[in-house]
């Protein structure tokens, strides 16, 4: 065998061995996307779990932890890195684990703008790492294929990108449990496909957009524990699919729109710890909701006597307001009230007897003006003298 034949044979053997050892060389992700993920990785430090140990080689579509690619285009489609569940994935992905470390995931650093070079991304989940700080890259709004953004459970600061509404394919926006500030962008109402909005536990201020009702597909609106001011937009009641509203622990004022009680699928309404005034709309107590919390506001007037045999409350909390008058008699004959709290008001008179009240503890009625009867002290009826 001469030298030229020998060289061709050796080269063919090398190529065959490389393909056999790493068949992904044939279908590798684009070098630009590999470089973007390397820059993304470089901005993060993860001391407890070496989740980036699998990020080796040049093919980011092949067994890289948390990375999924479109099987046709070989472009990166999803980034899924969840801190609280990463330890559960070790056996499946055979990732190395440091000894004597059973704690949940913890990661520091920031989200690099290089993520915006992954132009085919449909989902970004970088949640529950507790130590990731910095801001949301403004360029994220250029990723027009995004359907999910979940950056919850970190230390992210700054504002929600003002043009977030350009992501018209977005169905989930979860920024809960961070330190995000600023107002809710007016463009948010352009997210016509949004189904879940979770901004809880941040430092967001300003009003809720008055035209929030444009989010026709929304089924969860969770804005609790912020610094939101203004009134509750009446347009919210026009969202047919909305089942869960949490506006608690804010600085909302004004009256509660009666139209909220006419929403067809609303199951949970949490308005506690605000500055809401006026009377309780009877529509709320006669609705199909199973959870209603109006506690710690400045609501006044009587409790509407509108309970019926179809009333079904797992939890009904009207405590810490300025409610007066008698306890609604119809409340005792509701189909089911798992727990009710009427304490810390100005209610008076005898507590009605009935299936809905018989199981309630004394604390559910304490600190009122002059309530009496089971489970409190018996009522004292003064006889008249002529």
């Amino acid at each position: 065998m001469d030298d030229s034949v020998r060289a061709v044979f050796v080269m063919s053997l090398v190529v065959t061995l490389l393909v056999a050892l790493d068949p992904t060389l044939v279908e590798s992700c684009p070098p630009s996307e590999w470089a973007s993920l390397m820059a993304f990785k470089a901005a993060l430090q993860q001391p407890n779990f070496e989740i980036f140990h699998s990020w080796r080689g040049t093919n980011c579509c092949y067994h890289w932890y948390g990375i999924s690619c479109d099987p046709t285009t070989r472009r990166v489609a999803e980034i899924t890195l969840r801190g609280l569940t990463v330890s559960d994935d070790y056996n499946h992905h055979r990732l190395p684990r440091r000894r004597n470390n059973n704690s949940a995931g913890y990661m520091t650093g920031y989200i690099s703008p290089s993520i915006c070079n992954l132009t085919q991304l449909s989902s970004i989940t970088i949640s529950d790492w507790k130590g990731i700080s910095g801001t949301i890259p403004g360029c994220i709004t250029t990723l027009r294929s995004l359907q999910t953004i979940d950056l919850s459970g970190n230390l992210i600061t700054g504002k929600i990108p003002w043009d977030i509404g350009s992501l018209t394919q977005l169905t989930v926006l979860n920024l809960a449990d961070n330190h995000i500030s600023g107002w809710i962008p007016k463009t948010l109402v352009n997210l016509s496909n949004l189904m879940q909005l979770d901004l809880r536990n941040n430092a967001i201020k300003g009003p809720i957009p008055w035209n929030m009702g444009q989010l026709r597909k929304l089924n969860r609106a969770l804005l609790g524990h912020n610094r939101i001011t203004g009134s509750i937009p009446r347009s919210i009641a026009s969202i047919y699919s909305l089942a869960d509203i949490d506006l608690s622990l804010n600085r909302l004022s004004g009256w509660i729109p009666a139209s909220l009680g006419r929403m067809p699928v609303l199951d949970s309404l949490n308005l506690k710890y605000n500055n809401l005034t006026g009377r309780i709309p009877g529509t709320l107590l006669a609705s199909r909701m199973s959870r209603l919390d109006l506690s710690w506001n400045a609501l006044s007037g009587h409790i509407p006597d509108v309970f019926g045999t179809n009333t079904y409350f797992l939890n009904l909390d009207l405590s810490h307001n300025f409610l007066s008058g008698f306890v609604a008699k119809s409340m005792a004959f509701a189909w089911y009230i798992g727990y009710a709290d009427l304490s810390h008001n100005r209610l008076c008179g005898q507590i009605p007897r009935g299936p809905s009240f018989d199981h309630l503890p004394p604390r559910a009625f304490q600190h009122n003006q002059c309530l009496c009867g089971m489970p409190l002290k018996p009522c004292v009826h003064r006889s008249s003298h002529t």
Side-chain angles (χ1 to χ4, degrees):
M1 182 181 297
D2 59 29
D3 292 341
S4 60
V5 174
R6 185 180 293 109
V8 172
F9 174 80
V10 171
M11 185 174 293
S12 300
L13 181 61
V14 169
V15 171
T16 301
L17 288 173
L18 285 174
V19 172
L21 291 173
D22 189 1
T24 64
L25 288 173
V26 178
E27 294 182 313
S28 180
C29 68
S32 60
E33 300 209 343
W34 175 88
S36 297
L37 287 174
M38 289 295 98
F40 169 78
K41 171 186 172 183
L44 299 169
Q45 297 80 46
Q46 212 283 315
N48 294 335
F49 300 101
E50 298 176 357
I51 66 164
F52 293 126
H53 183 78
S54 64
W55 289 31
R56 295 183 295 182
T58 59
N59 188 359
C60 49
C61 294
Y62 184 73
H63 288 181
W64 279 31
Y65 178 83
I67 301 298
S68 298
C69 293
D70 184 295
T72 303
T73 64
R74 309 300 297 173
R75 305 289 294 276
V76 177
E78 298 180 7
I79 297 178
T80 306
L81 301 174
R82 291 190 178 93
L84 293 181
T85 60
V86 67
S87 58
D88 299 331
D89 295 333
Y90 272 90
N91 291 333
H92 178 71
H93 290 276
R94 297 181 181 179
L95 299 177
R97 185 174 185 175
R98 294 190 176 187
R99 295 180 180 179
N100 302 321
N101 191 343
N102 294 317
S103 63
Y106 183 81
M107 185 186 291
T108 58
Y110 64 95
I111 299 174
S112 171
S114 66
I115 200 173
C116 301
N117 296 326
L118 306 173
T119 57
Q120 300 302 309
L121 273 178
S122 63
S123 177
I124 300 174
T125 298
I126 307 169
S127 62
D128 298 313
W129 289 104
K130 306 184 201 60
I132 294 178
S133 56
T135 61
I136 301 172
C139 59
I140 201 172
T141 59
T142 64
L143 302 176
R144 301 303 170 87
S145 298
L146 275 178
Q147 298 177 26
T148 297
I149 297 177
D150 184 353
L151 306 179
S152 60
N154 291 296
L155 298 175
I156 295 172
T157 56
K159 302 177 180 180
I160 302 172
W162 69 270
D163 56 343
I164 190 72
S166 62
L167 299 177
T168 55
Q169 300 303 311
L170 204 63
T171 61
V172 175
L173 178 60
N174 187 352
L175 305 177
D177 304 308
N178 281 288
H179 297 300
I180 295 170
S181 58
W183 288 32
I184 299 174
K186 294 181 180 179
T187 64
L188 184 80
V189 300
N190 295 330
L191 300 176
S192 56
N193 287 298
L194 194 65
M195 301 176 67
Q196 297 186 35
L197 174 64
D198 194 345
L199 305 179
R200 290 175 295 178
N201 301 316
N202 279 289
I204 296 170
K205 60 184 180 180
I208 301 171
W210 65 271
N211 52 349
M212 193 82 166
Q214 290 182 203
L215 301 176
R216 298 296 186 185
K217 295 184 179 180
L218 198 64
N219 57 53
R220 302 188 77 198
L222 310 178
L223 310 179
H225 206 171
N226 280 287
R227 301 171 186 174
I228 298 172
T229 55
S231 59
I232 301 172
R234 297 179 183 275
S235 66
I236 288 180
S238 65
I239 306 177
Y240 182 90
S241 59
L242 195 52
D244 189 356
I245 301 176
D246 181 1
L247 304 178
S248 63
L249 290 121
N250 277 293
R251 301 170 185 176
L252 294 169
S253 57
W255 290 39
I256 302 173
S259 53
L260 295 181
R262 303 188 189 99
M263 298 177 68
V265 298
L266 185 62
D267 182 66
S268 177
L269 176 62
N270 189 350
L271 301 178
K272 69 179 180 181
Y273 282 103
N274 277 289
N275 301 315
L276 298 169
T277 55
R279 298 175 177 271
I280 297 176
T283 54
L284 295 184
L285 302 181
S287 68
R288 299 179 180 180
M289 275 184 279
S290 66
R291 293 176 175 84
L292 176 63
D293 194 339
L294 306 180
S295 62
W296 293 93
N297 279 284
L299 301 172
S300 57
H302 296 185
I303 298 175
D305 197 5
V306 294
F307 296 84
T309 54
N310 292 326
T311 302
Y312 185 96
F313 279 109
L314 295 174
N315 183 74
L316 175 63
D317 196 340
L318 308 179
S319 66
H320 294 88
N321 280 288
F322 302 116
L323 302 176
S324 58
F326 299 100
V327 177
K329 292 183 179 180
S330 62
M331 189 174 178
F333 300 100
W335 178 25
Y336 179 78
I337 297 180
Y339 181 73
D341 192 345
L342 307 181
S343 66
H344 295 272
N345 277 290
R346 298 173 179 175
L347 299 171
C348 201
Q350 184 168 359
I351 300 171
R353 298 294 304 273
S356 297
F357 281 157
D358 291 345
H359 65 288
L360 295 179
R363 66 175 179 273
F365 302 97
Q366 289 174 345
H367 302 286
N368 274 286
Q369 188 170 347
C370 52
L371 278 183
C372 59
M374 291 294 293
L376 300 179
K377 294 180 180 180
C379 296
V380 177
H381 298 284
R382 296 180 180 179
S383 59
S384 59
H385 297 279
T386 58

